[in-house]
Amino acid sequence: MKPILIAGPCAVENESQLMTTAEQLHEVTTRQGLLLDFFRAGVWKPRSNPDSFTGVGERGLTWLGEVQRRFGFRVCTEVMTPAQVEQCEKAGITALWVGARTAVNPASVQKIADAVKGKPFTILVKNPLVPDLKLWQGNIERFLQAGVEQVMAVHRGFADSNENIYRNAPCWEIPIDLKVSFPELPILCDPSHLCGQTKWISQIAQLALNYGFNGLMMECHCNPSEALSDAEQQITPEEWGNLIQNLTFKINAPNADLIKQRALLEHVDTQLSELLAKRMEIVDEIAHIKKENNLPVVQPQQWQQVKERYLKEGQDPAYREFLTQFLELLHQASIQRQK
Ligand code: PEP
Ligand code: MN
């Protein structure tokens, strides 16, 4: 499947900024033969600081409608309330995203899900600010249960108090677990909000593609340094085009060599699980002998010898670490069983 591409400014600031950005993106996509699936721009901006630019509001929808008509882009914008859903519907905007701040409140998300029920909206569900997989999954479920046909997830990173090179911590295991729980759901990466600075965007975008993400949402502005929000993470449409051109998109197609190696791996895994079951039977026998002979369950020297037998000098450090953890796990399971 073709990667899903979304680009556009963080916010609609005025008619001229929006039209110039859209026109430049149109020029770049035409020149490079790219299909932009959605043009993004927020008209309502939930900001931490009440004195920050909070968006132009409903009048921005008219300009977004104009972008749709003039350049043939499908536009998407952020909604926080059912009233905003209604305003978007009136303006002919049928792709909406739920932002990271709204996503922390299931009641608000449910209200939006109720408002889009039975209507032909595409919904992009950003991860909540907190690294809570269940909350993100629950939000997606709300839209699936409302019968929304096209639901997509967007990974934009998680707020944390650690000093990070990113604006938001990636916690890659969370979107990867989400992909496992919703294999059919397209999941996009938003490297702009993840990084917070333009210098890391292409590396993070490539990493996301290597992981198997289905697309990218990125912030583009005709004049990033003058942007009224997220100035440090926005790139120009021209830079966006270059960035996309230099990425390696992964092919999601069956591969005969991979299928063969997977079959071999499955065979080994089956043997492993049979061996582990056999090992447990032996552990039961050992437990019995120890009990009969009044011997302690934990015999540290014995365990030390086991580790020395398998952990050897010169092993790859990552493999050594894995083996140590694996042996510890086996030992713990064995003690647990004997107890
Ligand atoms: C945005 O996409 O501009 C935005 C506000 O996103 P998030 O909710 O991820 O911060
Ligand atoms: Mn933004």
Side-chain angles (χ1 to χ4, degrees):
M1 206 175 75
K2 170 202 162 305
I4 298 160
L5 296 179
I6 306 181
C10 176
V12 177
E13 298 169 4
N14 54 62
E15 189 172 5
S16 133
Q17 164 259 5
L18 191 71
M19 290 305 156
T20 309
T21 307
E23 190 174 1
Q24 291 177 356
L25 267 172
H26 183 256
E27 198 273 316
V28 169
T29 49
T30 311
R31 180 165 19 104
Q32 293 186 199
L34 292 170
L35 177 72
L36 187 70
D37 296 271
F38 299 93
F39 176 92
R40 60 145 291 150
V43 300
W44 297 287
K45 301 299 298 176
R47 306 301 298 277
S48 307
N49 183 337
D51 298 327
S52 300
F53 172 65
T54 54
V56 295
E58 194 177 0
R59 71 200 164 105
L61 297 178
T62 318
W63 304 328
L64 278 178
E66 182 62 17
V67 166
Q68 224 157 220
R69 274 185 299 280
R70 251 171 74 185
F71 304 105
F73 290 146
R74 196 169 164 208
V75 300
C76 66
T77 198
E78 173 168 356
V79 288
M80 291 163 268
T81 64
Q84 293 170 349
V85 172
E86 206 174 302
Q87 289 166 13
C88 288
E89 192 185 4
K90 273 199 210 128
I93 288 152
T94 56
L96 311 174
W97 83 79
V98 174
R101 288 157 187 81
T102 307
V104 291
N105 184 344
S108 303
V109 176
Q110 188 58 52
K111 282 183 190 154
I112 298 170
D114 292 340
V116 298
K117 197 172 180 157
K119 295 178 178 162
F121 282 107
T122 290
I123 304 290
L124 300 147
V125 187
K126 288 199 157 199
N127 67 261
L129 284 178
V130 286
D132 182 341
L133 174 65
K134 288 204 164 67
L135 191 55
W136 196 5
Q137 286 170 329
N139 288 344
I140 289 164
E141 289 290 354
R142 290 171 202 280
F143 290 102
L144 295 175
Q145 284 171 12
V148 174
E149 268 184 32
Q150 197 179 26
V151 181
M152 297 189 249
V154 183
H155 173 227
R156 49 81 73 207
F158 303 90
D160 74 359
S161 50
N162 297 329
E163 275 296 311
N164 222 299
I165 65 162
Y166 306 118
R167 177 178 177 193
N168 291 292
C171 307
W172 292 104
E173 67 284 0
I174 296 182
I176 290 165
D177 282 349
L178 187 81
K179 186 74 186 160
V180 173
S181 57
F182 295 101
E184 303 302 323
L185 188 93
I187 167 156
L188 318 188
C189 178
D190 170 350
S192 310
H193 286 90
L194 259 172
C195 303
Q197 308 171 51
T198 57
K199 67 176 171 185
W200 304 113
I201 292 179
S202 65
Q203 283 174 56
I204 289 298
Q206 187 61 62
L207 190 56
L209 295 176
N210 295 352
Y211 276 132
F213 278 72
N214 306 100
L216 299 166
M217 177 193 261
M218 286 190 254
E219 288 189 338
C220 285
H221 192 288
C222 56
N223 189 0
S225 61
E226 297 295 312
L228 299 182
S229 59
D230 289 349
E232 274 150 43
Q233 68 190 37
Q234 304 204 59
I235 53 178
T236 64
E238 196 62 38
E239 287 167 335
W240 176 83
N242 290 335
L243 193 156
I244 295 289
Q245 199 143 42
N246 288 319
L247 291 174
T248 306
F249 289 91
K250 301 284 157 180
I251 308 155
N252 218 343
N255 174 298
D257 290 339
L258 188 61
I259 292 170
K260 190 170 133 210
Q261 293 303 327
R262 285 220 173 111
L264 288 175
L265 201 60
E266 197 177 322
H267 180 62
V268 172
D269 287 347
T270 308
Q271 287 178 316
L272 268 179
S273 88
E274 283 168 8
L275 281 174
L276 286 173
K278 198 177 261 174
R279 191 182 195 282
M280 276 304 177
E281 283 172 21
I282 299 172
V283 166
D284 287 352
E285 275 308 312
I286 289 178
H288 187 69
I289 295 167
K290 284 180 182 167
K291 191 174 175 199
E292 291 293 299
N293 296 282
N294 209 20
L295 297 166
V297 165
V298 183
Q299 296 182 303
Q301 278 168 333
Q302 162 69 15
W303 179 237
Q304 199 45 40
Q305 283 168 11
V306 170
K307 286 212 279 193
E308 279 163 13
R309 200 174 310 141
Y310 299 108
L311 296 170
K312 307 234 164 66
E313 286 305 316
Q315 276 167 334
D316 169 48
Y319 179 68
R320 213 180 140 81
E321 171 66 22
F322 162 74
L323 207 55
T324 308
Q325 286 184 17
F326 180 67
L327 292 172
E328 279 302 337
L329 206 61
L330 271 184
H331 188 220
Q332 286 308 323
S334 159
I335 291 174
Q336 207 54 38
R337 181 98 169 187
Q338 293 182 57
K339 276 206 290 196

